[in-house]
């Protein structure tokens, strides 16, 4: 009888340990970064992207409106360059904030929203989304994902803050921006 009681007690202890271990493992799998993560991953995060102090790589592509866009043409101006896709929920959250900022500060800073068209639903879907929501800032199209590769974009939205010297002057922002955050960032650019 004593052996049965000890055996049952051991079994209860082992089951309790297994349950607590499972719960602990689940909590560890959701690190604070993952629990608070904003944005959508699109490729493995094995690269760091362009860092503060580096020149922003130049590129030349067509915009949604059919114009040619070349980043180096903006040299001498402050630039907020955002990478997004029309299926990305956090991107959709920040785009109205970007429009509001663009309408208020567009004369002091260039706002550029590079669509990762190679990972999106096609130009027509991007055009419909932008038109439906009335976004008026430039939307360069990364149709072949070359800009994404240049900037090692692995999370969207991702935003770079480029100074008048053409260098990235602040750490890139992973996740959606607010209007107030953008105002704070332009004050930090020279």
């Amino acid at each position: 009888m004593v052996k049965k009681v000890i055996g049952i007690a051991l079994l209860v202890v082992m089951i309790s340990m297994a349950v607590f271990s499972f719960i602990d493992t689940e909590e560890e799998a959701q690190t604070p970064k993952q629990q608070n993560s904003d944005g959508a991953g699109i490729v493995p995060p094995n690269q760091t992207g362009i860092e503060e102090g580096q020149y922003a790589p130049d590129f030349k592509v067509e915009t949604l409106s059919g114009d040619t866009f070349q980043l180096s043409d903006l040299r001498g101006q402050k630039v907020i360059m955002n990478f997004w896709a029309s299926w990305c929920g956090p991107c959709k959250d920040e785009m109205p904030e970007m429009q509001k900022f663009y309408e208020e500060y567009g004369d002091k800073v260039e706002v550029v929203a590079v669509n990762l068209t190679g990972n999106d639903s096609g130009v027509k879907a991007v055009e419909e989304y932008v038109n439906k929501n009335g976004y008026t800032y430039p939307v360069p199209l990364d149709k072949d994902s070359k800009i994404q590769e240049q900037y090692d974009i692995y999370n969207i939205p991702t935003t770079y803050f480029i100074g008048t010297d053409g260098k990235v002057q602040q750490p890139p922002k992973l996740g959606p921006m607010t209007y107030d955050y953008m105002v704070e960032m332009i004050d930090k650019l020279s």
Side-chain angles (χ1 to χ4, degrees), residues 152-163:
D152 292 327
I153 301 298
Y154 61 88
N155 186 76
I156 54 173
T158 293
T159 306
Y160 283 93
F161 305 95
I162 304 167

Side-chain angles (χ1 to χ4, degrees), residues 74-141:
L74 301 181
R75 187 69 55 93
Q77 301 173 58
K78 297 177 182 181
V79 178
I80 294 178
M81 186 169 62
N82 177 266
F83 291 88
W84 69 285
S86 65
W87 52 261
C88 166
C91 300
K92 291 178 181 182
D93 291 342
E94 90 177 337
M95 292 184 82
E97 299 279 309
M98 289 173 55
Q99 182 64 36
K100 178 181 172 185
F101 177 84
Y102 178 69
E103 290 170 3
E104 178 124 358
Y105 291 95
D107 58 335
K108 297 178 184 171
V109 62
E110 294 293 326
V111 176
V112 179
V114 179
N115 177 261
L116 300 180
T117 317
N119 286 303
D120 211 325
S121 303
V123 175
K124 183 149 181 71
V126 173
E127 184 176 37
E128 287 173 2
Y129 178 76
V130 168
N131 290 340
K132 173 184 168 189
N133 292 288
Y135 301 133
T136 58
Y137 38 77
V139 179
L141 301 172

Side-chain angles (χ1 to χ4, degrees), residues 135-149:
Y135 301 133
T136 58
Y137 38 77
V139 179
L141 301 172
D142 185 16
K143 293 179 183 177
D144 57 10
S145 301
K146 286 185 179 176
I147 305 168
Q148 177 184 340
E149 291 172 14

Side-chain angles (χ1 to χ4, degrees), residues 80 101 105 178-188:
I80 294 178
F101 177 84
Y105 291 95
T178 63
Y179 172 87
D180 292 336
Y181 184 82
M182 288 180 268
V183 170
E184 179 184 328
M185 286 296 105
I186 64 162
D187 291 339
K188 294 182 177 183

